[in-house]
Amino acid sequence: MVSHPIVTFPDEILLTKAVAVEEFDDKLEVLVQNLFDTLNAQDEGTGIGLSAPQIGVSKRVSVVHVPDDGYGPVAYINPVVLAKTAYGLVEESCLSVPGVEGNVIRATRVRVEAFDRSGERFVSEVDGMHAVCLLHEIDHLDGTLFIDRLFWPRRWRVKRQLRKQHRLAVMDTG
Ligand code: ZN
């Protein structure tokens, strides 16, 4: 089991569009396993999804696992949203933005096309927290964080505060 440190805002990789997976090989298998391992290593109830850029790999791979929701752990490789419906206000947080929670507008039902780790294409329709989490993860693959979706002016205040904390932390460590 390999749990990776989680990259946090404002690291550049979180703000960068990740590249599509082209090889469905052992390296991809290891990446998917590392994502699940890292997610499972988080404190209970703090993580339900993780994307490759969050462990420093700029590839379009996300995993979602909402305990007991009936979908089980699912890896989405090169996911593409086909349809989004049932929009609502959802409270979100993110392992890459520790200590911040906030309400964003999200679809709670989504039809997605993706590939599994063996390179098999699949289309699935998910709803509830799994759908919300999947959309949050696909945002990560596009370099977007949930704090980018907070309402103005909280979005501005949160990002300013986080950048200031980051500058102070960098100064501390030299
Ligand atoms: Zn996140």
Side-chain angles (χ1 to χ4, degrees), residues 9 97-98 100 147 158-166:
F9 180 85
V97 192
V100 179
I147 52 175
V158 163
K159 289 173 101 169
R160 185 184 60 168
Q161 181 65 26
L162 290 170
R163 286 186 191 278
K164 189 171 153 197
Q165 279 169 12
H166 176 72

Side-chain angles (χ1 to χ4, degrees), residues 21 28 49 74 81 101 123 125 150 154-155 160 164 166:
V21 169
L28 175 67
V74 187
V81 173
E101 287 175 355
V123 173
E125 191 156 333
L150 294 173
R154 180 143 193 255
R155 179 172 70 226
R160 185 184 60 168
K164 189 171 153 197
H166 176 72

Side-chain angles (χ1 to χ4, degrees), residues 63-77:
V63 300
V64 176
H65 186 198
V66 182
D68 307 319
D69 75 343
Y71 294 111
V74 187
Y76 295 91
I77 296 153

Side-chain angles (χ1 to χ4, degrees), residues 14 49-51 54 92-97 106 133 136-137 139-140 144-146:
L14 296 173
L50 196 65
S51 296
Q54 294 180 276
E92 293 194 12
S93 59
C94 178
L95 293 167
S96 291
V97 192
R106 284 279 186 207
C133 182
H136 174 120
E137 297 312 324
D139 267 357
H140 273 300
T144 300
L145 298 170
F146 87 98

Side-chain angles (χ1 to χ4, degrees), residues 107-165:
T108 63
R109 178 176 285 270
V110 58
R111 225 164 96 83
V112 65
E113 175 195 273
F115 293 84
D116 69 14
R117 49 180 113 181
S118 60
E120 205 70 46
R121 177 183 170 274
F122 66 94
V123 173
S124 68
E125 191 156 333
V126 293
D127 62 11
M129 198 44 84
H130 193 102
V132 167
C133 182
L134 176 58
L135 291 171
H136 174 120
E137 297 312 324
I138 293 175
D139 267 357
H140 273 300
L141 307 182
D142 291 327
T144 300
L145 298 170
F146 87 98
I147 52 175
D148 295 311
R149 295 187 180 278
L150 294 173
F151 300 109
W152 184 266
R154 180 143 193 255
R155 179 172 70 226
W156 177 76
R157 263 194 247 114
V158 163
K159 289 173 101 169
R160 185 184 60 168
Q161 181 65 26
L162 290 170
R163 286 186 191 278
K164 189 171 153 197
Q165 279 169 12

